[in-house]
Amino acid sequence: MTNEKIVISFDGDDELKSDTEKITVNTIAEVKNEENQSQPEPVFIPRRFSHYRGNPSLNGFYDCGISFPQSSDNCFRVKYSFAAGRTFSGEGFLNSILEYGENLVLSSLNGNIYFVDRNDGSIKKRISFPGESFEKTGVVADGNLYQNSLKKIFKISAEGDYSVIYETLESYIWSGLNYCNGKISFLTFNPDKNFLESDKEKKFVLIDTDSNDCITTNLQKKGILCDKVVVAAGNHFVILGDTLFSINDNGVIRCQVPLGFNAGFNTLFFSLRNHLYFNSPDNELYFTEAHLSPGGVRYSGIKTSGVMYAVAFDDNIFIGTGSGWSLYKSGGQLIYSFDDICESVTECLNSSILVILKKEKITFHNLAKFYEADTFLIPAGGNIDVNDYFVSSILSDGGIFALTRYGKIFAFSNDKMNLKL
Protein backbone atom coordinates (compact mmCIF):
# COMPACT_ATOMS: atom_id res chain seq x y z
CA MET A 1 0.00 0.00 0.00
CA THR A 2 1.26 3.49 -0.71
CA ASN A 3 1.68 6.01 2.09
CA GLU A 4 1.70 9.13 -0.08
CA LYS A 5 -0.21 12.19 0.92
CA ILE A 6 -3.36 12.31 -1.20
CA VAL A 7 -6.43 14.48 -1.22
CA ILE A 8 -9.93 13.24 -1.98
CA SER A 9 -12.74 15.73 -2.47
CA PHE A 10 -15.20 14.40 0.08
CA ASP A 11 -16.94 17.42 1.53
CA GLY A 12 -15.74 18.18 5.03
CA ASP A 13 -12.81 15.73 4.99
CA ASP A 14 -9.29 16.75 5.94
CA GLU A 15 -6.30 15.95 3.80
CA LEU A 16 -5.11 12.37 4.04
CA LYS A 17 -2.02 12.25 6.21
CA SER A 18 1.16 10.33 5.53
CA ASP A 19 1.40 7.86 8.36
CA THR A 20 2.05 4.26 9.19
CA GLU A 21 -0.63 1.76 8.34
CA LYS A 22 -3.10 1.35 11.16
CA ILE A 23 -5.23 -1.70 10.39
CA THR A 24 -6.80 -3.67 13.19
CA VAL A 25 -7.68 -7.33 12.61
CA ASN A 26 -10.29 -8.96 14.84
CA THR A 27 -11.88 -12.39 15.05
CA ILE A 28 -15.66 -12.44 15.17
CA ALA A 29 -16.69 -14.19 18.34
CA GLU A 30 -20.18 -15.43 19.15
CA VAL A 31 -21.33 -12.38 21.04
CA LYS A 32 -24.09 -12.57 23.61
CA ASN A 33 -26.80 -9.99 23.29
CA GLU A 34 -26.62 -8.91 26.93
CA GLU A 35 -23.05 -7.69 26.56
CA ASN A 36 -22.36 -3.96 26.26
CA GLN A 37 -25.85 -3.05 27.37
CA SER A 38 -24.42 0.07 28.95
CA GLN A 39 -23.70 1.45 25.49
CA PRO A 40 -26.36 3.95 24.34
CA GLU A 41 -28.40 2.81 21.38
CA PRO A 42 -28.05 4.99 18.26
CA VAL A 43 -31.01 6.94 16.99
CA PHE A 44 -32.75 4.95 14.26
CA ILE A 45 -35.53 6.14 12.00
CA PRO A 46 -37.23 3.32 10.05
CA ARG A 47 -36.93 3.78 6.29
CA ARG A 48 -39.80 3.42 3.85
CA PHE A 49 -37.46 2.32 1.06
CA SER A 50 -34.67 -0.24 0.92
CA HIS A 51 -32.96 -1.15 -2.35
CA TYR A 52 -30.44 -3.68 -3.57
CA ARG A 53 -27.03 -1.98 -3.51
CA GLY A 54 -28.39 0.92 -1.52
CA ASN A 55 -30.42 2.86 -4.07
CA PRO A 56 -32.09 2.63 -7.51
CA SER A 57 -28.80 3.59 -9.21
CA LEU A 58 -27.20 0.35 -7.94
CA ASN A 59 -23.96 2.16 -7.04
CA GLY A 60 -23.68 0.76 -3.50
CA PHE A 61 -24.10 4.12 -1.72
CA TYR A 62 -26.13 4.11 1.52
CA ASP A 63 -27.34 7.48 2.71
CA CYS A 64 -26.95 6.90 6.44
CA GLY A 65 -25.25 8.47 9.44
CA ILE A 66 -22.86 5.83 10.75
CA SER A 67 -19.27 7.08 10.65
CA PHE A 68 -15.78 5.71 11.09
CA PRO A 69 -14.64 6.40 14.69
CA GLN A 70 -12.63 9.61 14.52
CA SER A 71 -10.96 9.21 17.90
CA SER A 72 -8.42 6.65 19.10
CA ASP A 73 -10.72 6.15 22.09
CA ASN A 74 -13.31 4.38 19.92
CA CYS A 75 -13.39 1.62 17.32
CA PHE A 76 -15.79 -0.93 15.85
CA ARG A 77 -17.16 -3.86 17.82
CA VAL A 78 -19.34 -6.86 17.08
CA LYS A 79 -22.67 -5.90 18.58
CA TYR A 80 -24.08 -9.38 18.08
CA SER A 81 -23.61 -12.47 15.98
CA PHE A 82 -25.76 -15.54 15.66
CA ALA A 83 -24.69 -18.36 17.96
CA ALA A 84 -24.62 -21.86 16.43
CA GLY A 85 -28.07 -22.77 17.71
CA ARG A 86 -29.62 -19.69 16.16
CA THR A 87 -28.30 -19.94 12.61
CA PHE A 88 -30.37 -21.09 9.69
CA SER A 89 -29.11 -24.65 9.54
CA GLY A 90 -28.71 -26.06 6.04
CA GLU A 91 -29.88 -22.91 4.29
CA GLY A 92 -28.09 -20.88 1.65
CA PHE A 93 -28.17 -17.16 0.96
CA LEU A 94 -27.08 -15.37 -2.21
CA ASN A 95 -28.93 -12.07 -2.20
CA SER A 96 -28.58 -8.89 -0.19
CA ILE A 97 -29.92 -7.82 3.17
CA LEU A 98 -32.87 -5.42 3.10
CA GLU A 99 -34.19 -3.14 5.86
CA TYR A 100 -37.89 -3.28 6.69
CA GLY A 101 -38.85 -0.99 9.56
CA GLU A 102 -37.08 -2.24 12.69
CA ASN A 103 -36.20 -5.51 10.98
CA LEU A 104 -33.61 -6.85 8.59
CA VAL A 105 -34.94 -9.08 5.81
CA LEU A 106 -33.06 -12.24 4.79
CA SER A 107 -34.36 -14.39 1.94
CA SER A 108 -32.96 -17.89 1.43
CA LEU A 109 -32.47 -20.34 -1.40
CA ASN A 110 -34.75 -22.67 0.56
CA GLY A 111 -37.80 -20.43 0.19
CA ASN A 112 -37.77 -18.84 3.64
CA ILE A 113 -37.97 -15.13 4.45
CA TYR A 114 -36.75 -14.05 7.89
CA PHE A 115 -37.55 -10.84 9.72
CA VAL A 116 -34.62 -10.29 12.08
CA ASP A 117 -34.67 -7.65 14.82
CA ARG A 118 -31.90 -5.22 13.92
CA ASN A 119 -31.28 -4.38 17.58
CA ASP A 120 -30.54 -7.81 19.02
CA GLY A 121 -30.53 -10.29 16.11
CA SER A 122 -33.59 -12.23 17.27
CA ILE A 123 -35.81 -13.79 14.61
CA LYS A 124 -39.13 -11.98 14.78
CA LYS A 125 -40.86 -13.86 12.00
CA ARG A 126 -40.24 -16.58 9.44
CA ILE A 127 -42.42 -16.94 6.36
CA SER A 128 -41.99 -20.14 4.38
CA PHE A 129 -42.78 -20.59 0.70
CA PRO A 130 -42.42 -24.31 -0.08
CA GLY A 131 -40.98 -24.99 -3.51
CA GLU A 132 -39.70 -21.44 -3.99
CA SER A 133 -36.10 -20.20 -4.06
CA PHE A 134 -34.98 -16.61 -3.47
CA GLU A 135 -31.81 -15.93 -5.44
CA LYS A 136 -32.21 -12.24 -6.27
CA THR A 137 -32.85 -9.24 -4.02
CA GLY A 138 -36.28 -7.67 -3.67
CA VAL A 139 -37.16 -4.13 -2.65
CA VAL A 140 -38.93 -2.37 0.22
CA ALA A 141 -41.19 0.41 -1.03
CA ASP A 142 -44.13 2.36 0.37
CA GLY A 143 -44.37 0.23 3.49
CA ASN A 144 -44.31 -3.20 1.84
CA LEU A 145 -41.68 -5.81 1.07
CA TYR A 146 -41.59 -7.12 -2.50
CA GLN A 147 -39.54 -10.28 -2.88
CA ASN A 148 -39.06 -12.29 -6.06
CA SER A 149 -38.45 -16.00 -6.33
CA LEU A 150 -37.50 -17.60 -9.63
CA LYS A 151 -41.03 -17.27 -11.01
CA LYS A 152 -43.13 -15.20 -8.58
CA ILE A 153 -43.18 -11.83 -6.84
CA PHE A 154 -44.65 -11.71 -3.34
CA LYS A 155 -46.03 -8.57 -1.70
CA ILE A 156 -45.52 -8.92 2.06
CA SER A 157 -46.77 -6.64 4.83
CA ALA A 158 -45.00 -5.88 8.11
CA GLU A 159 -47.42 -8.29 9.80
CA GLY A 160 -46.36 -11.12 7.47
CA ASP A 161 -49.49 -11.18 5.30
CA TYR A 162 -48.67 -11.78 1.66
CA SER A 163 -50.06 -12.15 -1.83
CA VAL A 164 -48.63 -13.12 -5.22
CA ILE A 165 -48.72 -10.06 -7.50
CA TYR A 166 -46.82 -11.56 -10.44
CA GLU A 167 -46.08 -15.01 -11.84
CA THR A 168 -44.29 -16.16 -14.98
CA LEU A 169 -44.85 -19.66 -16.34
CA GLU A 170 -42.13 -20.42 -18.87
CA SER A 171 -39.55 -17.71 -18.16
CA TYR A 172 -37.56 -16.87 -15.03
CA ILE A 173 -37.30 -13.59 -13.15
CA TRP A 174 -33.80 -12.67 -14.30
CA SER A 175 -32.93 -9.65 -12.15
CA GLY A 176 -33.46 -8.23 -8.71
CA LEU A 177 -36.27 -5.73 -8.24
CA ASN A 178 -35.88 -1.99 -8.61
CA TYR A 179 -38.34 0.78 -7.82
CA CYS A 180 -39.09 4.27 -9.13
CA ASN A 181 -42.16 6.53 -9.22
CA GLY A 182 -44.53 3.95 -7.76
CA LYS A 183 -43.48 1.14 -10.08
CA ILE A 184 -41.36 -1.96 -9.63
CA SER A 185 -39.12 -2.89 -12.55
CA PHE A 186 -37.38 -6.17 -13.38
CA LEU A 187 -36.41 -8.55 -16.20
CA THR A 188 -37.64 -11.98 -17.23
CA PHE A 189 -35.92 -14.47 -19.51
CA ASN A 190 -36.02 -18.13 -20.44
CA PRO A 191 -32.38 -19.29 -20.83
CA ASP A 192 -33.53 -22.77 -21.90
CA LYS A 193 -34.69 -21.45 -25.28
CA ASN A 194 -31.68 -20.56 -27.42
CA PHE A 195 -29.77 -18.59 -24.81
CA LEU A 196 -27.93 -16.37 -27.29
CA GLU A 197 -30.05 -16.58 -30.42
CA SER A 198 -33.56 -16.06 -29.13
CA ASP A 199 -34.97 -12.57 -29.55
CA LYS A 200 -38.43 -13.29 -28.13
CA GLU A 201 -37.88 -14.53 -24.59
CA LYS A 202 -36.35 -11.39 -23.01
CA LYS A 203 -38.78 -8.99 -21.37
CA PHE A 204 -38.79 -5.86 -19.24
CA VAL A 205 -41.69 -5.68 -16.75
CA LEU A 206 -43.24 -2.85 -14.73
CA ILE A 207 -45.73 -3.38 -11.89
CA ASP A 208 -47.75 -0.51 -10.39
CA THR A 209 -47.54 -0.90 -6.58
CA ASP A 210 -50.99 0.64 -6.06
CA SER A 211 -53.03 -1.29 -8.61
CA ASN A 212 -50.71 -4.28 -9.30
CA ASP A 213 -51.24 -3.55 -13.01
CA CYS A 214 -48.47 -5.00 -15.14
CA ILE A 215 -46.80 -3.65 -18.29
CA THR A 216 -44.54 -5.98 -20.31
CA THR A 217 -42.07 -4.79 -22.93
CA ASN A 218 -40.47 -7.26 -25.32
CA LEU A 219 -36.74 -6.74 -25.87
CA GLN A 220 -36.49 -8.15 -29.37
CA LYS A 221 -32.78 -8.49 -29.79
CA LYS A 222 -30.30 -11.37 -29.71
CA GLY A 223 -27.56 -11.53 -27.11
CA ILE A 224 -26.91 -12.02 -23.41
CA LEU A 225 -29.22 -10.16 -21.02
CA CYS A 226 -27.44 -8.37 -18.15
CA ASP A 227 -29.09 -9.20 -14.81
CA LYS A 228 -29.57 -5.58 -13.64
CA VAL A 229 -32.12 -2.82 -14.10
CA VAL A 230 -30.66 0.62 -13.30
CA VAL A 231 -32.91 3.62 -12.60
CA ALA A 232 -31.55 7.08 -13.42
CA ALA A 233 -33.04 10.40 -14.51
CA GLY A 234 -36.54 8.95 -14.01
CA ASN A 235 -36.05 6.12 -16.54
CA HIS A 236 -35.14 2.43 -16.47
CA PHE A 237 -32.03 1.12 -18.21
CA VAL A 238 -31.25 -2.39 -19.40
CA ILE A 239 -28.26 -3.87 -21.25
CA LEU A 240 -28.88 -6.62 -23.81
CA GLY A 241 -26.03 -7.87 -25.97
CA ASP A 242 -24.29 -4.83 -27.43
CA THR A 243 -27.16 -2.40 -26.79
CA LEU A 244 -28.31 -0.16 -23.94
CA PHE A 245 -32.10 0.26 -23.72
CA SER A 246 -33.76 3.28 -22.13
CA ILE A 247 -37.37 2.61 -21.07
CA ASN A 248 -39.82 5.07 -19.54
CA ASP A 249 -42.44 4.55 -16.81
CA ASN A 250 -45.02 3.50 -19.40
CA GLY A 251 -42.86 0.64 -20.64
CA VAL A 252 -42.04 2.45 -23.89
CA ILE A 253 -38.50 2.07 -25.25
CA ARG A 254 -37.23 5.65 -25.56
CA CYS A 255 -34.08 4.76 -27.45
CA GLN A 256 -31.40 2.13 -28.03
CA VAL A 257 -27.73 3.01 -27.77
CA PRO A 258 -24.99 0.78 -29.28
CA LEU A 259 -22.21 0.02 -26.79
CA GLY A 260 -19.58 -1.11 -29.27
CA PHE A 261 -19.05 -4.44 -27.46
CA ASN A 262 -21.09 -7.38 -26.21
CA ALA A 263 -21.94 -7.27 -22.52
CA GLY A 264 -22.27 -10.29 -20.26
CA PHE A 265 -24.77 -11.67 -17.77
CA ASN A 266 -23.17 -9.99 -14.74
CA THR A 267 -21.73 -6.93 -16.46
CA LEU A 268 -20.86 -4.11 -14.07
CA PHE A 269 -23.71 -1.59 -14.43
CA PHE A 270 -24.57 1.41 -12.25
CA SER A 271 -25.39 5.10 -12.35
CA LEU A 272 -23.51 8.02 -10.81
CA ARG A 273 -24.65 11.65 -11.07
CA ASN A 274 -26.94 10.78 -13.99
CA HIS A 275 -24.16 9.03 -15.89
CA LEU A 276 -24.48 5.31 -16.65
CA TYR A 277 -21.33 3.21 -16.24
CA PHE A 278 -20.64 -0.29 -17.60
CA ASN A 279 -17.52 -2.35 -18.29
CA SER A 280 -16.39 -4.03 -21.48
CA PRO A 281 -15.07 -7.62 -21.68
CA ASP A 282 -11.59 -6.05 -21.49
CA ASN A 283 -12.54 -4.45 -18.13
CA GLU A 284 -12.53 -0.94 -19.52
CA LEU A 285 -15.14 1.28 -17.90
CA TYR A 286 -17.40 3.22 -20.28
CA PHE A 287 -20.18 5.71 -19.62
CA THR A 288 -22.98 7.65 -21.25
CA GLU A 289 -25.45 10.30 -20.16
CA ALA A 290 -28.61 8.99 -18.53
CA HIS A 291 -30.65 11.19 -20.86
CA LEU A 292 -28.64 9.58 -23.69
CA SER A 293 -27.12 12.56 -25.44
CA PRO A 294 -25.98 12.34 -29.08
CA GLY A 295 -22.40 12.01 -27.76
CA GLY A 296 -23.05 8.32 -27.24
CA VAL A 297 -20.79 5.97 -25.28
CA ARG A 298 -17.39 7.23 -24.10
CA TYR A 299 -14.37 5.63 -22.43
CA SER A 300 -13.86 6.79 -18.84
CA GLY A 301 -10.10 6.22 -18.80
CA ILE A 302 -10.48 3.51 -16.15
CA LYS A 303 -9.18 0.03 -16.89
CA THR A 304 -8.46 -2.75 -14.40
CA SER A 305 -7.41 -6.37 -14.51
CA GLY A 306 -9.55 -9.16 -13.15
CA VAL A 307 -13.19 -9.21 -12.09
CA MET A 308 -14.63 -5.76 -11.40
CA TYR A 309 -16.86 -4.71 -8.53
CA ALA A 310 -17.71 -1.07 -8.06
CA VAL A 311 -19.31 1.32 -5.60
CA ALA A 312 -19.48 5.06 -6.10
CA PHE A 313 -20.67 8.40 -4.83
CA ASP A 314 -20.08 12.05 -5.62
CA ASP A 315 -17.18 12.00 -8.12
CA ASN A 316 -15.49 8.88 -6.75
CA ILE A 317 -15.53 5.30 -8.07
CA PHE A 318 -14.09 2.46 -5.97
CA ILE A 319 -13.27 -0.64 -8.01
CA GLY A 320 -12.47 -4.07 -6.58
CA THR A 321 -10.46 -6.64 -8.52
CA GLY A 322 -8.87 -10.02 -7.98
CA SER A 323 -5.88 -8.37 -6.34
CA GLY A 324 -7.17 -5.48 -4.24
CA TRP A 325 -9.10 -2.28 -4.90
CA SER A 326 -8.55 1.22 -6.26
CA LEU A 327 -10.16 4.64 -6.10
CA TYR A 328 -10.63 6.64 -9.29
CA LYS A 329 -12.19 9.95 -10.10
CA SER A 330 -15.01 9.60 -12.62
CA GLY A 331 -12.75 11.25 -15.18
CA GLY A 332 -10.27 8.36 -14.96
CA GLN A 333 -7.64 9.73 -12.52
CA LEU A 334 -6.22 7.04 -10.20
CA ILE A 335 -6.25 8.42 -6.64
CA TYR A 336 -5.43 5.44 -4.45
CA SER A 337 -4.63 1.75 -4.80
CA PHE A 338 -4.65 -1.07 -2.24
CA ASP A 339 -2.92 -4.30 -3.26
CA ASP A 340 -4.03 -7.62 -1.80
CA ILE A 341 -3.52 -11.32 -2.39
CA CYS A 342 -7.23 -12.09 -2.67
CA GLU A 343 -10.28 -10.79 -4.47
CA SER A 344 -11.73 -7.61 -2.99
CA VAL A 345 -15.45 -7.00 -3.37
CA THR A 346 -16.24 -3.31 -2.94
CA GLU A 347 -19.59 -4.02 -1.33
CA CYS A 348 -21.01 -0.71 -0.10
CA LEU A 349 -20.13 2.71 1.29
CA ASN A 350 -21.41 5.98 2.66
CA SER A 351 -19.58 9.29 2.95
CA SER A 352 -17.41 7.97 5.80
CA ILE A 353 -16.90 4.19 5.45
CA LEU A 354 -15.98 1.82 2.62
CA VAL A 355 -16.89 -1.85 3.19
CA ILE A 356 -14.75 -4.52 1.51
CA LEU A 357 -15.61 -8.24 1.50
CA LYS A 358 -12.77 -10.76 1.09
CA LYS A 359 -14.32 -14.20 1.48
CA GLU A 360 -14.15 -14.82 5.26
CA LYS A 361 -13.03 -11.23 5.99
CA ILE A 362 -14.89 -7.94 6.20
CA THR A 363 -12.96 -4.67 6.31
CA PHE A 364 -14.14 -1.15 7.14
CA HIS A 365 -11.91 1.56 5.63
CA ASN A 366 -11.90 5.13 6.86
CA LEU A 367 -12.56 7.33 3.82
CA ALA A 368 -10.83 10.26 5.50
CA LYS A 369 -7.66 8.25 6.26
CA PHE A 370 -7.35 5.05 4.25
CA TYR A 371 -4.58 3.71 6.47
CA GLU A 372 -7.17 3.41 9.24
CA ALA A 373 -9.25 0.26 8.91
CA ASP A 374 -10.85 -2.48 10.98
CA THR A 375 -10.92 -6.06 9.67
CA PHE A 376 -13.02 -8.85 11.19
CA LEU A 377 -12.60 -12.56 10.46
CA ILE A 378 -15.14 -15.34 10.62
CA PRO A 379 -13.52 -17.79 13.07
CA ALA A 380 -12.59 -21.20 11.68
CA GLY A 381 -13.49 -24.44 13.43
CA GLY A 382 -16.04 -25.02 16.16
CA ASN A 383 -19.63 -24.58 15.02
CA ILE A 384 -18.70 -22.27 12.14
CA ASP A 385 -18.56 -23.80 8.66
CA VAL A 386 -14.97 -23.48 7.50
CA ASN A 387 -16.17 -22.84 3.94
CA ASP A 388 -18.45 -19.97 4.91
CA TYR A 389 -17.90 -16.50 3.46
CA PHE A 390 -19.54 -13.08 3.37
CA VAL A 391 -22.08 -12.46 0.60
CA SER A 392 -23.72 -9.20 1.64
CA SER A 393 -23.28 -6.15 3.81
CA ILE A 394 -25.25 -2.93 4.28
CA LEU A 395 -24.64 0.34 6.10
CA SER A 396 -27.41 1.75 8.22
CA ASP A 397 -27.99 4.39 10.88
CA GLY A 398 -25.95 3.25 13.85
CA GLY A 399 -24.82 -0.09 12.45
CA ILE A 400 -23.25 -2.22 9.73
CA PHE A 401 -24.87 -5.59 9.03
CA ALA A 402 -23.26 -8.50 7.20
CA LEU A 403 -24.59 -11.88 6.03
CA THR A 404 -22.69 -15.05 5.12
CA ARG A 405 -23.45 -17.72 2.53
CA TYR A 406 -24.72 -20.11 5.19
CA GLY A 407 -26.86 -17.66 7.10
CA LYS A 408 -24.73 -16.16 9.84
CA ILE A 409 -25.53 -12.53 10.40
CA PHE A 410 -23.32 -10.03 12.22
CA ALA A 411 -24.02 -6.53 13.47
CA PHE A 412 -21.18 -4.05 13.96
CA SER A 413 -21.33 -0.74 15.79
CA ASN A 414 -18.76 2.04 16.05
CA ASP A 415 -19.03 2.69 19.78
CA LYS A 416 -16.50 0.32 21.33
CA MET A 417 -14.39 2.04 23.98
CA ASN A 418 -10.62 1.48 23.85
CA LEU A 419 -9.52 1.18 27.44
CA LYS A 420 -6.06 2.58 28.08
CA LEU A 421 -4.54 1.00 31.19
Side-chain angles (χ1 to χ4, degrees), residues 263-321:
F265 163 65
N266 56 356
T267 291
L268 179 69
F269 187 29
F270 65 92
S271 174
L272 177 66
R273 300 195 305 176
N274 283 331
H275 287 71
L276 297 161
Y277 288 86
F278 32 82
N279 64 315
S280 71
D282 294 328
N283 283 318
E284 295 173 326
L285 193 65
Y286 289 83
F287 71 96
T288 188
E289 303 286 344
H291 55 77
L292 300 181
S293 66
V297 172
R298 288 173 282 174
Y299 176 45
S300 70
I302 300 173
K303 182 175 181 178
T304 64
S305 59
V307 178
M308 294 176 64
Y309 306 88
V311 292
F313 86 104
D314 196 11
D315 190 36
N316 306 285
I317 300 175
F318 298 80
I319 295 181
T321 70

Side-chain angles (χ1 to χ4, degrees), residues 66-344:
I66 188 171
S67 61
F68 199 97
Q70 297 301 308
S71 167
S72 60
D73 294 332
N74 294 87
C75 60
F76 288 96
R77 67 180 174 95
V78 182
K79 183 177 179 182
Y80 63 77
S81 62
F82 280 161
R86 299 169 60 201
T87 56
F88 314 123
S89 177
E91 293 203 68
F93 295 80
L94 291 179
N95 51 23
S96 181
I97 303 167
L98 291 173
E99 292 186 278
Y100 192 12
E102 292 285 346
N103 297 313
L104 307 174
V105 177
L106 315 179
S107 304
S108 80
L109 297 173
N110 304 63
N112 293 314
I113 296 179
Y114 296 89
F115 289 11
V116 177
D117 190 300
R118 58 176 284 122
N119 295 311
D120 61 14
S122 61
I123 299 175
K124 303 295 287 293
K125 193 183 304 293
R126 184 183 75 172
I127 309 173
S128 296
F129 298 92
E132 304 293 340
S133 180
F134 300 110
E135 298 184 7
K136 301 292 184 178
T137 303
V139 67
V140 174
D142 294 327
N144 291 292
L145 164 66
Y146 298 88
Q147 180 61 60
N148 54 311
S149 66
L150 295 177
K151 289 183 171 291
K152 298 177 183 178
I153 295 178
F154 299 90
K155 180 178 182 180
I156 304 171
S157 71
E159 294 72 32
D161 300 324
Y162 64 87
S163 60
V164 177
I165 64 170
Y166 179 85
E167 183 173 6
T168 175
L169 299 178
E170 292 187 359
S171 297
Y172 297 92
I173 298 175
W174 198 243
S175 68
L177 305 183
N178 211 332
Y179 174 88
C180 180
N181 298 332
K183 293 180 180 179
I184 293 170
S185 56
F186 57 97
L187 298 166
T188 67
F189 179 45
N190 187 345
D192 299 327
K193 292 189 176 181
N194 299 321
F195 183 79
L196 294 178
E197 297 302 321
S198 174
D199 62 356
K200 300 179 180 179
E201 303 299 331
K202 309 175 184 76
K203 299 177 181 179
F204 171 81
V205 184
L206 285 168
I207 297 179
D208 188 293
T209 55
D210 288 330
S211 64
N212 293 340
D213 289 342
C214 178
I215 300 173
T216 300
T217 303
N218 291 320
L219 305 174
Q220 295 183 335
K221 182 177 177 60
K222 297 177 181 180
I224 297 175
L225 183 63
C226 176
D227 69 338
K228 302 173 185 68
V229 177
V230 172
V231 173
N235 292 290
H236 310 262
F237 296 88
V238 175
I239 293 177
L240 171 55
D242 61 357
T243 302
L244 173 69
F245 289 79
S246 173
I247 306 171
N248 68 16
D249 271 345
N250 295 316
V252 177
I253 298 175
R254 297 173 59 244
C255 60
Q256 302 179 40
V257 178
L259 301 181
F261 54 83
N262 285 306
F265 163 65
N266 56 356
T267 291
L268 179 69
F269 187 29
F270 65 92
S271 174
L272 177 66
R273 300 195 305 176
N274 283 331
H275 287 71
L276 297 161
Y277 288 86
F278 32 82
N279 64 315
S280 71
D282 294 328
N283 283 318
E284 295 173 326
L285 193 65
Y286 289 83
F287 71 96
T288 188
E289 303 286 344
H291 55 77
L292 300 181
S293 66
V297 172
R298 288 173 282 174
Y299 176 45
S300 70
I302 300 173
K303 182 175 181 178
T304 64
S305 59
V307 178
M308 294 176 64
Y309 306 88
V311 292
F313 86 104
D314 196 11
D315 190 36
N316 306 285
I317 300 175
F318 298 80
I319 295 181
T321 70
S323 57
W325 60 271
S326 300
L327 165 62
Y328 293 87
K329 287 296 183 180
S330 61
Q333 179 188 6
L334 176 63
I335 300 298
Y336 185 83
S337 182
F338 186 99
D339 295 328
D340 208 331
I341 60 174
C342 61
E343 182 180 81
S344 295

Side-chain angles (χ1 to χ4, degrees), residues 399-414:
I400 303 174
F401 302 94
L403 177 67
T404 73
R405 174 69 170 78
Y406 298 116
K408 284 79 176 179
I409 188 165
F410 303 96
F412 303 90
S413 66
N414 63 350

